[in-house]
Amino acid sequence: MVNIITFVVITKLIVKPLSIHIKHIKENDSLEIVGSYEFKYLALTYNDIYELNAENEKMLVHKAEHDSLTGLLNRAGFEDIKTLMMGSNMPIALAVLDIDKFKTVNDENGHEIGDEVLQTVAAQLRQSFRSCDYVIRLGGDEFVVILTNIRPENQNAVRRKFVNINEALRKPEGRRPGVSVSVGVAFSGNGFTDDLFEKADKMLYEVKNNGKCGCRFYEETEKQ
């Protein structure tokens, strides 16, 4: 009888909790607080380390995919989103933009003011678009915005956003001079396509070569 009780106790307090813990560890999950005092203490300690490692991993992923100056997604984040959207059936628009005469801003005002300009542009873009859109700094003064669930018939609404952004940016503030952005936009009915960036970039240079501070949309009739 004593042997049976001992077996039941060992099974309940040691064998079963151990098998549960092994299963959770293999599945890279936190541990259940079960079993004897020692196993419960082990589970609590493991869970603290597990949560710390999970937070550190999130922080590292965030750091790898975000620009430290502006807090926006960076080029690595852009590539990840692009891969996810390749071949999807979601209608999207890609806006490619840069800051007009940014080199002059840096040369005349210094890089500290140049950084402030970049942060201001980033903030204007972030607050002008929806939470389902992606605002990204590719590098230097080059940004992109991926607008999701949007079609060419929404072109005027997109244009107005950039008109408003430029109106805000052209007003000097403190030491920051007024600036503007030039924008090229291309639509796709099938997620991210191989030539989408090229189309939007072509429109950006059309704007740059025709007075800057504007927004132009790619039309299929412009394809040569």
Side-chain angles (χ1 to χ4, degrees):
M1 185 65 176
V2 172
N3 288 340
I4 294 174
I5 293 172
T6 302
F7 175 77
V8 170
V9 170
I10 291 173
T11 300
K12 183 178 180 181
L13 296 181
I14 299 176
V15 177
K16 186 176 180 181
L18 184 59
S19 65
I20 291 173
H21 288 346
I22 291 171
K23 178 177 180 292
H24 281 263
I25 291 170
K26 284 182 177 179
E27 293 175 352
N28 192 29
D29 199 359
S30 57
L31 302 184
E32 292 183 28
I33 312 301
V34 295
S36 65
Y37 169 80
E38 289 79 10
F39 273 101
K40 288 178 180 178
Y41 181 78
L42 172 65
L44 287 168
T45 303
Y46 176 88
N47 288 346
D48 285 343
I49 296 171
Y50 175 86
E51 288 173 10
L52 181 61
N53 286 340
E55 286 301 316
N56 286 338
E57 187 174 340
K58 284 181 186 177
M59 186 173 65
L60 288 172
V61 169
H62 185 275
K63 188 174 181 180
E65 294 184 344
H66 286 76
D67 173 52
S68 59
L69 178 66
T70 63
L72 299 180
L73 287 163
N74 60 16
R75 185 176 290 274
F78 174 62
E79 293 298 330
D80 289 343
I81 295 166
K82 195 167 80 169
T83 300
L84 287 172
M85 289 188 169
M86 280 285 185
S88 77
N89 58 2
M90 178 189 292
I92 68 170
L94 175 68
V96 179
L97 58 139
D98 64 22
I99 302 170
D100 299 324
K101 300 180 181 178
F102 183 66
K103 184 178 184 302
T104 302
V105 171
N106 266 334
D107 291 345
E108 293 182 355
N109 301 275
H111 289 282
E112 185 179 338
I113 299 300
D115 286 349
E116 189 177 328
V117 167
L118 290 169
Q119 290 169 330
T120 301
V121 171
Q124 282 292 332
L125 292 172
R126 190 188 290 113
Q127 71 186 36
S128 297
F129 291 93
R130 304 165 298 175
S131 59
C132 60
D133 299 326
Y134 299 93
V135 181
I136 301 154
R137 181 188 177 203
L138 290 185
D141 66 316
E142 187 176 15
F143 297 81
V144 299
V145 182
I146 302 173
L147 294 88
T148 63
N149 290 309
I150 194 162
R151 302 179 186 278
E153 49 264 37
N154 304 121
Q155 177 174 311
N156 288 336
V158 176
R159 187 190 302 278
R160 279 196 302 273
K161 283 184 181 292
F162 286 112
V163 168
N164 292 337
I165 287 169
N166 268 327
E167 284 181 358
L169 291 175
R170 291 173 74 175
K171 298 173 184 174
E173 185 176 332
R175 298 181 303 163
R176 177 185 66 77
V179 295
S180 62
V181 295
S182 294
V183 190
V185 183
F187 288 91
S188 167
N190 299 292
F192 216 101
T193 57
D194 290 332
D195 59 352
L196 189 63
F197 189 95
E198 181 184 347
K199 290 175 179 178
D201 200 44
K202 180 180 178 182
M203 294 301 96
L204 167 61
Y205 278 93
E206 290 282 341
V207 176
K208 300 291 280 187
N209 292 330
N210 289 277
K212 303 179 174 59
C213 187
C215 179
R216 183 162 181 175
F217 295 82
Y218 185 89
E219 306 287 350
E220 287 302 317
T221 53
E222 298 185 62
K223 190 173 181 178
Q224 295 180 358

